[in-house]
């Protein structure tokens, strides 16, 4: 057990991730994890969980409404609790609609958000977001990197489209040595201020 902790803590090379290459969802998730590793481990940025925290807050409120309805119905059996149950059920479905809108329009496939601290510490942090898209029954993985400057809120983005066969070998191993230069190329093109498609 301590050996695993020592290996994790040391700078040794990680074992490559193996994925069933005919499962599109598993492939997309494995590639997302590889990109996330580059963004959080190879670059000096701090991961931000605010986007996921928003989803958790909406879900927590929905669970709170459901728990309140359960408790109210326990304390005041059905005929008397009917108006409260109707309100709670309506609120729950409204919150699920809000959650759907949040994941569709706010998250938009973003799987990692990192913050770049201002070196002087005076300006707000700049934000890097990585989003991906891979349609069902397709071998094309689309990665979009977005940079939002903290001081001016100016946004730049760049996209790269690759076949899954370019980054996963015949045995289903994710080739981190191929993914890392791709992500670094996108990062460097945005950091230097030029758009690279």
């Amino acid at each position: 057990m301590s050996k695993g902790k020592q290996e994790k803590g040391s700078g040794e090379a990680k074992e490559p991730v193996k994925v069933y290459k005919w499962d599109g969802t598993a492939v997309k998730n494995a590639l997302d994890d590889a990109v996330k590793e580059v963004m959080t481990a190879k670059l000096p940025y701090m991961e931000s969980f605010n986007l996921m925290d928003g989803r958790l807050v909406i879900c927590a409120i929905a669970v709170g409404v459901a728990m309140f309805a359960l408790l109210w119905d326990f304390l005041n059996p059905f005929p008397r609790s009917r108006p409260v149950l109707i309100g709670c059920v309506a609120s729950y479905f409204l919150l699920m609609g809000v959650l759907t809108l949040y994941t569709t329009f706010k998250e938009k496939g973003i799987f990692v958000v990192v913050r770049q601290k201002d070196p002087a510490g005076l300006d707000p942090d700049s934000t890097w977001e990585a989003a991906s898209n891979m349609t069902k029954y397709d071998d094309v993985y689309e990665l979009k990197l977005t940079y939002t400057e903290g001081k001016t809120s100016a946004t730049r983005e760049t996209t790269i489209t690759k076949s899954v066969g370019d980054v996963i070998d015949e045995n289903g191993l994710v080739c981190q040595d191929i993914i890392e230069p791709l992500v670094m190329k996108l990062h460097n093109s945005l950091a230097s201020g030029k758009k690279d498609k």
Side-chain angles (χ1 to χ4, degrees):
M1 183 183 267
S2 63
K3 183 180 178 187
K5 288 182 182 179
Q6 288 174 352
E7 287 177 10
K8 185 177 180 182
S10 66
E12 294 179 19
K14 284 187 172 182
E15 198 173 298
V17 176
K18 186 170 185 164
V19 65
Y20 179 62
K21 61 184 176 179
W22 302 113
D23 182 3
T25 305
V27 168
K28 180 186 178 300
N29 290 338
L31 293 175
D32 289 350
D33 288 344
V35 172
K36 182 178 180 177
E37 183 180 334
V38 173
M39 295 295 292
T40 57
K42 304 291 182 188
L43 296 168
Y45 303 147
M46 187 74 107
E47 187 169 2
S48 172
F49 299 100
N50 292 343
L51 198 62
M52 266 189 227
D53 289 346
R55 186 184 344 160
L56 288 174
V57 166
I58 295 169
C59 290
I61 293 170
V63 168
V65 166
M67 296 284 287
F68 176 74
L70 182 67
L71 180 65
W72 189 266
D73 189 51
F74 178 75
L75 296 175
N76 302 302
F78 176 64
R80 291 187 312 203
S81 66
R82 184 174 181 200
V84 173
L85 289 178
I86 289 172
C88 288
V89 168
S91 300
Y92 184 84
F93 283 109
L94 177 73
L95 286 167
M96 290 301 104
V98 169
L99 179 65
T100 302
L101 292 173
Y102 183 82
T103 56
T104 303
F105 296 110
K106 180 74 173 156
E107 286 186 359
K108 295 184 271 189
I110 297 170
F111 59 89
V112 66
V113 178
V114 293
R115 298 213 179 270
Q116 179 181 5
K117 297 276 185 199
D118 178 46
L122 300 174
D123 295 328
D125 298 343
S126 298
T127 306
W128 293 85
E129 297 174 346
S132 67
N133 186 25
M134 189 170 156
T135 56
K136 195 172 186 177
Y137 307 120
D138 197 2
D139 71 329
V140 177
Y141 178 78
E142 179 183 340
L143 175 66
K144 179 171 78 169
L145 206 60
T146 306
Y147 172 71
T148 305
E149 192 174 342
K151 185 177 181 181
T152 62
S153 296
T155 301
R156 296 188 301 266
E157 67 182 41
T158 186
T159 305
I160 192 166
T161 304
K162 284 285 185 187
S163 172
V164 170
D166 293 341
V167 291
I168 294 181
D169 68 6
E170 306 86 33
N171 299 322
L173 296 174
V174 177
C175 301
Q176 188 71 22
D177 58 333
I178 297 173
I179 293 174
E180 186 175 335
L182 291 174
V183 175
M184 293 306 290
K185 179 183 175 188
L186 291 174
H187 173 270
N188 294 337
S189 70
L190 287 176
S192 66
K194 62 182 178 182
K195 201 171 185 181
D196 181 38
K197 282 240 177 184

